[in-house]
Amino acid sequence: MDKQQLVTEFISEAKDILDTVENSLIEVEKLPSLQDFAHHEYVHKLFRGFHTLKGTSGLLKLQNMVKVSHNAETLLDLIRKNKTLPNANFINTLLKTNDFLRRLLGQYEISQTDSGLEEEMDVLLQELKSRTDEIGFGLTIKEEVQPTQEKFGFFEDEQEEEKFGFFEDDISIEDQKVNMETDASLESKYESKQHGNIKISSEKLDLLMDLTGELVIAELSVSYHPDLSKPELYSLRRNVQHLNKIVRDVQEVVLSTRMIPMASVFARIPRLVRDLALQLGKEVKLQVLGEETEIDKSLVDLLLDPIIHIIRNAIDHGIEPPNERLQKGKSEHGNILIQASQSANEVKIAIKDDGRGINKSKVLEKALKNNLIDKQNKDYSDKEIYEFIFMPGFSTSEKITDVSGRGVGMDIVRQGVQKINGRIDVQSTEGKGTSFIIRMPLTLGIMDGTNIRVGQTYITLQRIEIREIVSMIDVSPILLENGLKVIEVRGKYIPLLKLNDILNIPTRINYDNAKQLTIILEYEEEVLGLLVDQVVSNQSVVVKPLQGELLEKTKGINGFTILGNGNISLILDTKTIFEKYGMTQVK
């Protein structure tokens, strides 16, 4: 392993350690008594975390990271050995320490140095010293720690360095006694990474995904070749079927390499809930379920912001202060539940609180006051009122604070969810709480699609958005006064649209099949019908983005794919269609 490899490993490992330390500190606050912390496994986990970070930082000569983590380790060691803790303020201090180490790590990742924040570091070190003094030992934390004065468990002497080849330059590490259990686990981790698991860069995974997509397209072009229907090519057809199975297996394996558990998304939530609750003088308990549910890595960063906004909104607007909750007969602390689950090709994330719920009258009043909606329409359903909170500039806060009141937040939530081809529902009961439910695809790269044809134009729809297919042979559309056509399906009237209406294409698309079909699309419990000539196939399709400023701004299209017959098929954006043309509620 060369130095650059070790740097990459160190950054990844350090981020994991800091995440573990932060979550452990949050869990500590949930203990019945902080006195129990001194006897609890968390103190050992925290100590090992800072000790490991100190060791790996020392190998890379990151003196500031060594200094800070060493002082945190010293404080935890005193707590661990003496099993007493007279003051709980150390949790805040250690959280500050963890945050500062994150900043140093981020700086090192960008500039390959951890210097430049010495003034802040000195203040933090003094606070760590004060916490140590409060325990009652009055021990002096060393202000200077030389990385070369400790052995971190990698080498027994200077000659060992050459065997491992971590560095091109010389590093002198003297033999000293250290925590052998921690150092052994360190070596074990690095050994397992070298022999058991390997880390692959995101760029390589993206390239592998792209190549797999091209492989799928190439395989489809062979599988749907018209010559394969010839009787004399029976043996070739069998080989092609075998090829089809292998390509599908490869596709599934490649997709699995990109899937990561939702735990990586939820990791930042406990700290957010803790800090925001303290800031607003509220008590909030967080429960997270379904952390093992997996999603494509490309969705992680895009999903985190909407979730954070929803939780901030729940704590600020939803959860009542303790006194108000007690007056309502509720528990003193509010509750927030985050639950992830997976079904078919979709991931669902529910974020629920047991707070005030959405005050529909207040929302409607504010929307009217700010001219965000039509004042003439007084007959709004609950669902429509809940939709108002997603309008840009909407806020029910009476004053601007660091948390809310500026009219930004929930509109960003909707935009963020739409970026991942997802949708969001709101359910609320006044006095009992509110639920936000996000639904999104497992991956943005490949989807299960239904390919349809209108004339010579091909369109692909997400299979999960198709409710049913209706033959138009014995169905007569009904023309309404506004010019809209509807069809009756089992007592329900469904708006009937054509591709010309949806896509605003200058060149009119001509239907060529007298025995047309209607695809009944469903989105957020609402339906509409799309008139088509033919359902071509159901298959997994590779989603390719539209490129170029003009195409990227096209409404109603999410991208395109290449079919087995070589034709380009546009992927229809169902959300945009429903928003544009109005919907019929499913009863």
Side-chain angles (χ1 to χ4, degrees):
M1 181 187 295
D2 59 22
K3 185 174 180 179
Q4 187 54 48
Q5 257 185 299
L6 182 62
V7 168
T8 303
E9 291 278 340
F10 164 71
I11 292 173
S12 176
E13 181 96 1
K15 287 179 178 179
D16 291 342
I17 290 172
L18 293 174
D19 285 342
T20 300
V21 167
E22 179 172 286
N23 289 330
S24 296
L25 286 168
I26 299 300
E27 290 299 319
V28 165
E29 288 191 312
K30 299 177 183 178
L31 296 175
S33 169
L34 285 177
Q35 295 292 338
D36 296 338
F37 172 62
H39 307 273
H40 204 279
E41 62 180 279
Y42 285 118
V43 72
H44 304 291
K45 185 183 292 186
L46 290 168
F47 175 85
R48 288 194 299 268
F50 284 116
H51 178 81
T52 301
L53 188 59
K54 179 185 72 172
T56 51
S57 301
L59 286 172
L60 292 170
K61 299 183 179 181
L62 303 179
Q63 296 193 24
N64 288 344
M65 292 196 73
V66 170
K67 197 177 297 184
V68 173
S69 54
H70 173 78
N71 282 277
E73 175 195 19
T74 300
L75 173 59
L76 286 161
D77 192 36
L78 292 176
I79 296 168
R80 182 176 65 166
K81 289 178 179 177
N82 293 276
K83 300 183 179 180
T84 56
L85 184 64
N87 196 314
N89 288 332
F90 82 98
I91 293 179
N92 289 325
T93 298
L94 288 176
L95 283 172
K96 286 182 186 178
T97 303
N98 207 59
D99 291 343
F100 186 75
L101 286 168
R102 282 189 195 278
R103 291 180 61 193
L104 290 178
L105 182 64
Q107 185 167 303
Y108 175 67
E109 190 172 8
I110 295 172
S111 62
Q112 299 296 296
T113 178
D114 68 340
S115 61
L117 300 173
E118 280 74 15
E119 289 187 12
E120 290 183 52
M121 183 178 68
D122 290 341
V123 174
L124 179 61
L125 291 175
Q126 185 58 44
E127 185 171 341
L128 283 165
K129 179 182 183 301
S130 298
R131 297 293 170 239
T132 304
D133 292 342
E134 287 176 18
I135 296 179
F137 297 95
L139 297 178
T140 301
I141 296 178
K142 294 181 180 179
E143 295 296 331
E144 297 294 335
V145 178
Q146 297 298 329
T148 60
Q149 290 182 341
E150 294 199 18
K151 172 190 170 189
F152 297 108
F154 282 87
F155 315 114
E156 292 184 0
D157 52 39
E158 295 182 12
Q159 283 72 29
E160 288 291 329
E161 178 188 343
E162 297 179 5
K163 295 181 182 179
F164 285 83
F166 278 17
F167 305 101
E168 296 175 2
D169 53 345
D170 293 331
I171 294 178
S172 175
I173 302 178
E174 297 180 7
D175 288 335
Q176 289 188 5
K177 284 190 175 181
V178 291
N179 186 310
M180 297 306 295
E181 177 185 352
T182 303
D183 292 330
S185 66
L186 249 179
E187 293 186 36
S188 176
K189 283 183 179 179
Y190 277 88
E191 185 177 350
S192 68
K193 286 178 180 177
Q194 292 177 15
H195 300 288
N197 301 312
I198 61 173
K199 293 189 176 182
I200 303 176
S201 67
S202 297
E203 292 78 9
K204 287 183 179 179
L205 283 177
D206 292 339
L207 177 59
L208 183 60
M209 185 70 172
D210 291 340
L211 290 174
T212 302
E214 296 300 325
L215 178 64
V216 170
I217 292 171
E219 180 271 324
L220 288 173
S221 67
V222 174
S223 299
Y224 284 88
H225 197 284
D227 288 349
L228 282 180
S229 59
K230 296 178 180 179
E232 61 270 23
L233 296 180
Y234 171 75
S235 178
L236 179 59
R237 283 198 299 274
R238 290 186 58 184
N239 291 336
V240 170
Q241 290 173 357
H242 182 57
L243 172 64
N244 178 275
K245 180 182 183 303
I246 293 174
V247 170
R248 293 295 169 266
D249 289 345
V250 169
Q251 181 179 321
E252 288 185 11
V253 171
V254 171
L255 283 176
S256 69
T257 63
R258 294 172 57 91
M259 305 299 282
I260 59 177
M262 289 294 300
S264 61
V265 179
F266 297 152
R268 286 178 53 187
I269 304 304
R271 177 70 184 277
L272 169 70
V273 171
R274 173 200 180 268
D275 291 351
L276 193 55
L278 285 174
Q279 181 181 347
L280 297 174
K282 298 180 180 181
E283 297 181 15
V284 181
K285 285 190 176 180
L286 174 69
Q287 184 180 14
V288 179
L289 301 175
E291 291 180 297
E292 70 283 355
T293 303
E294 293 187 327
I295 60 170
D296 192 299
K297 71 174 186 64
S298 64
L299 299 177
V300 171
D301 292 336
L302 296 174
L303 181 61
L304 185 58
D305 280 346
I307 291 178
I308 286 176
H309 279 293
I310 292 173
I311 291 176
R312 288 173 65 90
N313 186 75
I315 298 176
D316 187 26
H317 295 288
I319 301 295
E320 310 94 333
N323 291 340
E324 184 179 335
R325 290 182 64 85
L326 291 174
Q327 291 173 4
K328 293 179 178 179
K330 296 182 177 182
S331 61
E332 191 173 17
H333 64 268
N335 295 283
I336 293 179
L337 168 66
I338 305 177
Q339 184 170 13
S341 59
Q342 179 181 333
S343 60
N345 297 304
E346 187 179 65
V347 171
K348 182 174 76 172
I349 301 173
I351 305 170
K352 305 177 182 180
D353 70 70
D354 65 346
R356 300 185 179 99
I358 297 177
N359 187 322
K360 292 178 288 188
S361 300
K362 188 174 182 180
V363 169
L364 187 58
E365 177 185 348
K366 197 75 173 183
L368 290 169
K369 181 180 178 181
N370 293 351
N371 297 317
L372 296 175
I373 57 175
D374 184 4
K375 294 183 179 180
Q376 303 302 317
N377 188 349
K378 301 294 183 182
D379 187 21
Y380 290 105
S381 66
D382 288 356
K383 183 177 178 63
E384 289 173 320
I385 292 175
Y386 297 152
E387 289 293 307
F388 298 155
I389 67 176
F390 294 108
M391 288 186 171
F394 183 87
S395 175
T396 56
S397 295
E398 300 298 331
K399 61 180 181 179
I400 294 176
T401 68
D402 292 339
V403 180
S404 64
R406 299 183 185 277
V408 296
M410 297 312 292
D411 60 319
I412 294 177
V413 168
R414 167 150 289 176
Q415 292 171 20
V417 171
Q418 289 176 344
K419 282 182 181 178
I420 56 178
N421 293 338
R423 57 186 186 270
I424 184 167
D425 296 324
V426 183
Q427 301 170 1
S428 185
T429 303
E430 287 192 48
K432 294 186 177 181
T434 303
S435 298
F436 289 87
I437 301 171
I438 299 173
R439 292 182 172 87
M440 61 182 183
L442 285 174
T443 177
L444 298 181
I446 295 177
M447 74 175 195
D448 282 339
T450 295
N451 304 310
I452 59 152
R453 180 184 63 81
V454 177
Q456 299 303 309
T457 300
Y458 291 87
I459 297 291
T460 298
L461 304 166
Q462 284 201 63
R463 203 178 306 172
I464 60 174
E465 295 175 340
I466 298 177
R467 180 177 174 180
E468 62 180 303
I469 300 174
V470 177
S471 172
M472 296 296 288
I473 295 178
D474 299 320
V475 177
S476 299
I478 303 170
L479 182 63
L480 304 181
E481 293 180 0
N482 60 4
L484 181 67
K485 290 183 179 181
V486 299
I487 58 173
E488 183 180 359
V489 179
R490 292 187 294 278
K492 295 181 176 63
Y493 292 95
I494 299 174
L496 188 62
L497 300 177
K498 293 186 175 183
L499 283 181
N500 295 295
D501 305 324
I502 294 172
L503 301 180
N504 294 323
I505 298 176
T507 304
R508 187 172 182 80
I509 300 173
N510 295 314
Y511 289 75
D512 60 12
N513 190 348
K515 300 177 181 179
Q516 291 175 340
L517 304 170
T518 293
I519 307 292
I520 307 297
L521 300 175
E522 182 174 9
Y523 178 73
E524 295 185 353
E525 299 184 346
E526 295 164 334
V527 294
L528 58 78
L530 179 63
L531 195 63
V532 305
D533 283 331
Q534 178 190 6
V535 174
V536 179
S537 62
N538 292 313
Q539 64 188 60
S540 294
V541 299
V542 179
V543 180
K544 293 182 173 291
L546 297 172
Q547 296 181 342
E549 185 176 352
L550 181 61
L551 290 176
E552 288 174 355
K553 294 181 180 179
T554 302
K555 299 294 184 182
I557 298 296
N558 267 341
F560 72 95
T561 190
I562 301 176
L563 303 181
N565 57 14
N567 288 301
I568 292 177
S569 181
L570 300 176
I571 299 173
L572 213 58
D573 180 5
T574 305
K575 298 185 294 296
T576 301
I577 295 170
F578 275 84
E579 290 169 0
K580 181 176 181 180
Y581 287 96
M583 297 144 275
T584 299
Q585 186 73 26
V586 179
K587 303 295 184 182

